[in-house]
Amino acid sequence: MPRVRDPLVVGRVIGDVLDPFTSSISLRVTYGNREVSNGCEFRPSAVVNQPRVEIGGNDLRTCYTLMVCILQVMVDPDAPSPSEPNLREYLHWLVMDIPESTGTTFGQEIVHYESPRPTVGIHRYVFALFRQIGRQTVDAPGWRQNFNTRDFAEIYNLGLPVAAVYYNCMREGGVGGRRL
């Protein structure tokens, strides 16, 4: 029987940004009509506008935090370049209090969406979803660079993520792909 490898492990999202976790809810992220799947590639022109995010489940009383980092949360763990990620992680988006079975439009945006604009190399952009204990007040981080998803989750008692997905992005005229 072939061994199935978790794409979050293969793409080093687990390790660089997140600790190992078990996904327990669906997370669907789309830019226009294209859905994000782990390791897929987007160009900056395709991710200028904030994506549509849908969270599964059926309990409106349960809330979530989404962080997006280059590394939702949306973060970039490869800022400013994959070979020298000294700004790791870069926070691109932070939304809190998203009710289960809805999307980010029903949450509270703490850090406004900043579209990816990589200049060197191929960057990973990670959407990490955390279950909140309840609605809570969160202060926006004072900076985007050197954000730390793990530390943020610990400070606000979010625990491990419940879902995550990532994509790769390089400058508009770049060629090649991420070598794993």
Side-chain angles (χ1 to χ4, degrees), residues 15-148:
D16 285 353
V17 180
L18 303 172
D19 291 325
F21 70 96
T22 301
S23 184
S24 61
I25 195 141
S26 65
L27 172 64
R28 185 170 187 247
V29 179
T30 54
Y31 283 97
N33 61 358
R34 185 168 171 213
E35 186 169 351
V36 174
S37 61
N38 285 316
C40 70
E41 293 187 12
F42 283 90
R43 296 297 176 144
S45 59
V47 293
V48 169
N49 298 316
Q50 95 181 25
R52 179 181 172 140
V53 177
E54 299 170 353
I55 299 167
N58 56 19
D59 184 356
L60 291 172
R61 295 168 298 174
T62 302
C63 291
Y64 294 88
T65 297
L66 178 74
M67 292 184 261
V68 183
C69 305
I70 56 180
L71 180 175
Q72 104 268 340
V73 182
M74 180 181 171
V75 294
D76 177 356
D78 302 315
S81 76
S83 60
E84 289 188 49
N86 58 20
L87 297 180
R88 173 180 289 174
E89 304 158 25
Y90 188 90
L91 179 63
H92 282 266
W93 197 24
L94 177 59
V95 183
M96 300 280 302
D97 296 332
I98 308 165
E100 189 171 283
S101 80
T102 68
T104 52
T105 56
F106 292 91
Q108 179 184 359
E109 189 175 62
I110 304 296
V111 175
H112 296 291
Y113 180 78
E114 182 178 305
S115 63
R117 293 183 299 273
T119 57
V120 177
I122 301 164
H123 294 245
R124 297 164 291 167
Y125 293 84
V126 179
F127 293 82
L129 187 68
F130 294 84
R131 180 174 283 123
Q132 295 173 217
I133 294 171
R135 290 190 181 271
Q136 59 193 93
T137 301
V138 172
D139 296 321
W143 55 88
R144 290 177 183 259
Q145 69 272 6
N146 297 119
F147 180 81
N148 188 297

